[in-house]
Amino acid sequence: MYLNGQTIYEDGHFKDHIEYRVPVQIYCGKQHSDIGFIENFTAKFVRINNILYNRSLFTFISRPGY
């Protein structure tokens, strides 16, 4: 499905991670910000751990098996 470390950015990627409960690591630039499961998303935001992350400011990395 997704490789460990693969960047996710399309709506389909986020839907898959919700459906299959695949954890996601969040980065702001090169700085690690958080890790968790996607709760919901919109065209502009992704909610993880009850925090909204702006899709244009943060990078989301797939972490299957974490």
Side-chain angles (χ1 to χ4, degrees):
M1 174 178 207
Y2 292 91
L3 300 174
N4 189 25
Q6 181 177 345
T7 302
I8 62 169
Y9 50 88
E10 295 179 0
D11 286 353
H13 298 162
F14 294 113
K15 287 178 187 176
D16 288 344
H17 281 70
I18 290 172
E19 182 177 348
Y20 298 107
R21 299 284 299 157
V22 177
V24 174
Q25 195 166 10
I26 304 109
Y27 283 88
C28 183
K30 294 184 180 187
Q31 180 72 33
H32 172 262
S33 297
D34 202 357
I35 192 165
F37 295 97
I38 298 172
E39 299 163 0
N40 207 345
F41 71 95
T42 67
K44 295 189 180 209
F45 294 97
V46 177
R47 189 172 75 198
I48 299 172
N49 297 330
N50 210 28
I51 299 169
L52 291 175
Y53 292 96
N54 188 309
R55 286 173 67 168
S56 64
L57 298 177
F58 291 88
T59 303
F60 304 91
I61 306 294
S62 183
R63 293 294 184 206
Y66 179 81

